[in-house]
Amino acid sequence: MKTVRILMRAVLLGMVSLLSFANAEYAKYKDPKQRVAVRVKDLLGRMSLEEKIGQMVQIDRTIATVQFLKDYSIGSVLSGGGSTPLPQARAADWVNMINDFQRGSLASRLGIPMIYGIDAVHGHNNVYNATIFPHNVGLGATRHFKYRDPELVKRIGAATALEVRATGIPYVFAPCIAVCRDPRWGRCYESYSEDHKIVQEMTDVILGLQGDPPSNFRKGVPFVGGKDKVAACAKHFVGDGGTTNGINENNTVIDMHGLLSIHMPAYSDSIIKGVSTIMVSYSSWNGEKMHANRELVTGFLKGTLKFKGFVISDWQGIDRITSPPHSNYTYSVQSGIQAGIDMVMIPFNLTEFIDDLTDLVKNNVITMDRIDDAVGRILLVKFSMGLFENPLADLSLVNELGSQAHRDLAREAVRKSLVLLKNGKNESHPLIPLPKKAPKILVAGSHADNLGYQCGGWTINWQGFSGNNYTRGTTILGAIRSAVDSSTEVVYRDNPDSDFVKSNNFDYAIVAVGEAPYAETAGDSMTLTMLDPDPSVITNVCEAVKCVVIIISGRPIVIEPYISSVDALVAAWLPGTEGQGVTDVLFGDYGFSGKLPRSWFKTVDQLPMNVGDPHYDPLFPFDFGLKTESVPSIVARSTSAGVDGKPFVFLVMISLIFALYFTELKRFLSICILVEQVKLIFTRRWH
């Protein structure tokens, strides 16, 4: 009996121990059945000050280590522009790197997962082999598509989310919802338009990136709809597109009414659509740095607009509160955090930030309530997107990176974004659509065979690249060679002289010129001119042969001096990797439909100039864009006319169509014979 009692006592003690262990292990924040608010509160209550401050930190991957993430409970890691695991890294390389970092976070005391972020501003633009979509200025031109697809940017957002998730990344610093009011600004191509209403409409990209919130979803609460979606970041709050003379990171001088009516509406729309995070602008509003502006960040954004996600700084954004930057870092930390910034993109001086913020809290300069507000918002986003349940990425989506479906979508976006500014020396003699079948054509210009120039800044590297070797895509020259008839000889010269052009008897020429890639301050320009020797290329080519000039640029540039010499002019913006979208409309497979999202100035002396201004006198006004019909639609309409009992209208249209494709005089006789044959057929039918 004594032995039995001892055994029973041991069993009871074991059960008590197991129950105690189970109770110790159970934590509400780990339970996905609990409401998000309950999980946030529970986790906040368990965190030390050091762990809370760690969550407010975002560091670049170049200084991140597994040990750092574990020891400091780091909230986020990012890839700055061009920061990759290795050159031409595959999706699996990204997944493996990020999972290694994540295992460090999961090994911390509370196991709070970090969130990895990256710029994906026109597709997954840092990553080799990703689909590169047109920059935002081009997408702003798509809004008036004849059979309008209001979900184009939403579909682009969804495709981008898939490619980002394919590399194991759950967070993107996009979209930019700046309203660029001066094209001299080096970030103007990141803005959809000078018109805030278009920018507001384009915030639908957030629904593509994050998913559609349910109808009963509470306004201002972040929403991410699954493992194939990402947390988005509306940027840069607020007024970044309105700086004096378009100088990057400068001062936006405007009253509150102007700020609220021009620069703020897209933020309200983004919040309603569930955007998870908002990035603060480097710029100032009436002399006050936005990174230190408590009135707008805490008062208006978090208060009036009821934004519940987290506010993140820009790269070294708090450093730049002072001039020169980082000259009084403790003050910068204090000003930024008290203004309402929740997560700081440090990205390098990790321990300095942690030490300064810790001292400010311990000395009661910054309250614990402010820290808890910041960390609570960060945790809210992480819980809402399922990061605690699915912290590690897998390889299930790797085939989405650069998929053909996404490239087809990008091609569609390109052709819908192109704006036809001129078509023929007069209206009765249009040059476009171009004939695919011609004996010999010339392709010229610095941008005809340069994928990097075609994509612009924020592609592979922060400032972009030159050439065709850094990612996969189709140049305009490659697209032309694929589009024309096999009998057409395509001659390419980047900078042909006039004698060469005159002596070769070209049927027509396509000239692609524009700007070299740039990003941010490097793109600020007071002259807005195209690259040399592009002006002489236009002169040499267009004075000798019928020509189409394609402008590859992130904004309107100086073109008035060349207008009279060109037969057709196309604004192609920065179309990305899918050059076939350009040839789709040049050769008439689809019609031109794009409308200018920006006013095109005559001279830079007019700037800034936006639609509605008293001095408004543009070369091409806002919303301008010529339309063309596709060759297939002309054929269909002509065939329909013939069937309806109008055979000779049909014959005229057939003649016009063949004239487009057979421009040589020596083919005229064969056309006449064909027309006579068709006439005989229809004469028999109607008699």
Side-chain angles (χ1 to χ4, degrees), residues 59-309:
I59 55 174
D60 188 77
R61 57 160 289 279
T62 55
I63 71 158
T65 67
V66 171
Q67 198 64 42
F68 263 1
L69 289 159
K70 177 184 176 182
D71 292 347
Y72 290 99
S73 190
I74 299 297
S76 182
V77 180
L78 84 151
S79 278
S83 181
T84 63
L86 64 158
Q88 298 189 357
R90 300 167 300 126
D93 297 321
W94 284 91
V95 169
N96 292 334
M97 176 193 72
I98 292 163
N99 280 350
D100 284 345
F101 288 147
Q102 191 68 282
R103 290 186 184 98
S105 294
L106 298 177
S108 64
R109 183 178 75 91
L110 294 170
I112 304 172
M114 66 86 188
I115 182 171
Y116 199 100
I118 197 166
D119 286 285
V121 297
H122 62 141
H124 199 6
N125 49 262
N126 268 301
V127 176
Y128 178 77
N129 200 38
T131 308
I132 305 300
F133 292 91
H135 266 297
N136 288 353
V137 66
L139 297 181
T142 66
R143 68 202 182 281
H144 286 298
F145 185 61
K146 183 176 180 181
Y147 304 105
R148 187 174 173 279
D149 177 6
E151 297 201 337
L152 177 63
V153 292
K154 183 177 177 181
R155 290 188 287 135
I156 289 171
T160 300
L162 278 171
E163 297 206 13
V164 171
R165 279 288 196 173
T167 57
I169 298 173
Y171 177 30
V172 298
F173 308 127
C176 177
I177 55 172
V179 181
C180 176
R181 303 290 285 176
D182 192 325
R184 292 175 291 185
W185 185 36
R187 305 193 78 155
C188 204
Y189 63 77
E190 297 183 57
S191 168
Y192 293 104
S193 177
E194 70 188 44
D195 183 354
H196 70 85
K197 292 188 291 298
I198 292 172
V199 178
Q200 287 177 259
E201 182 179 339
M202 294 296 160
T203 58
D204 274 0
V205 70
I206 293 166
L207 301 177
L209 291 166
Q210 298 193 157
D212 289 289
S215 57
N216 61 347
F217 205 73
R218 190 157 62 95
K219 174 188 170 183
V221 177
F223 175 83
V224 180
K227 293 175 68 176
D228 60 349
K229 299 297 182 182
V230 294
C233 179
K235 63 183 187 183
H236 308 86
F237 186 83
V238 60
D240 52 339
T243 59
T244 301
N245 296 327
I247 298 171
N248 191 43
E249 304 180 19
N250 205 252
N251 190 28
T252 297
V253 180
I254 193 170
D255 62 19
M256 179 62 87
H257 174 75
L259 189 75
L260 296 183
S261 61
I262 295 173
H263 299 285
M264 195 68 76
Y267 286 95
S268 178
D269 284 30
S270 298
I271 291 166
I272 290 169
K273 292 170 185 177
V275 72
S276 295
T277 74
I278 289 176
M279 184 182 292
V280 180
S281 176
Y282 288 128
S283 61
S284 303
W285 176 49
N286 296 332
E288 183 177 359
K289 290 280 189 180
M290 280 305 309
H291 275 75
N293 195 316
R294 179 177 170 79
E295 176 189 359
L296 289 179
V297 176
T298 295
F300 198 87
L301 180 61
K302 293 181 175 181
T304 304
L305 296 183
K306 303 188 184 307
F307 174 59
K308 303 300 182 187

Side-chain angles (χ1 to χ4, degrees), residues 46-55 72-73 109-110:
R46 298 169 184 268
M47 296 173 72
S48 66
L49 174 61
E50 290 72 22
E51 287 166 330
K52 290 175 180 178
I53 289 175
Q55 284 299 299
Y72 290 99
S73 190
R109 183 178 75 91
L110 294 170

Side-chain angles (χ1 to χ4, degrees), residues 435-441 481 484-490 508:
K436 292 182 178 180
K437 192 166 187 177
K440 184 162 61 172
I441 66 173
R481 285 176 169 156
V484 297
D485 188 83
S486 59
S487 65
T488 299
E489 181 184 357
V490 179
Y508 59 82

Side-chain angles (χ1 to χ4, degrees), residues 458-492:
W458 289 110
T459 308
I460 303 302
N461 299 307
W462 175 39
Q463 295 292 329
F465 65 92
S466 177
N468 299 327
N469 298 324
Y470 291 87
T471 195
R472 187 165 68 90
T474 304
T475 66
I476 292 170
L477 174 63
I480 291 168
R481 285 176 169 156
S482 297
V484 297
D485 188 83
S486 59
S487 65
T488 299
E489 181 184 357
V490 179
V491 177
Y492 170 64

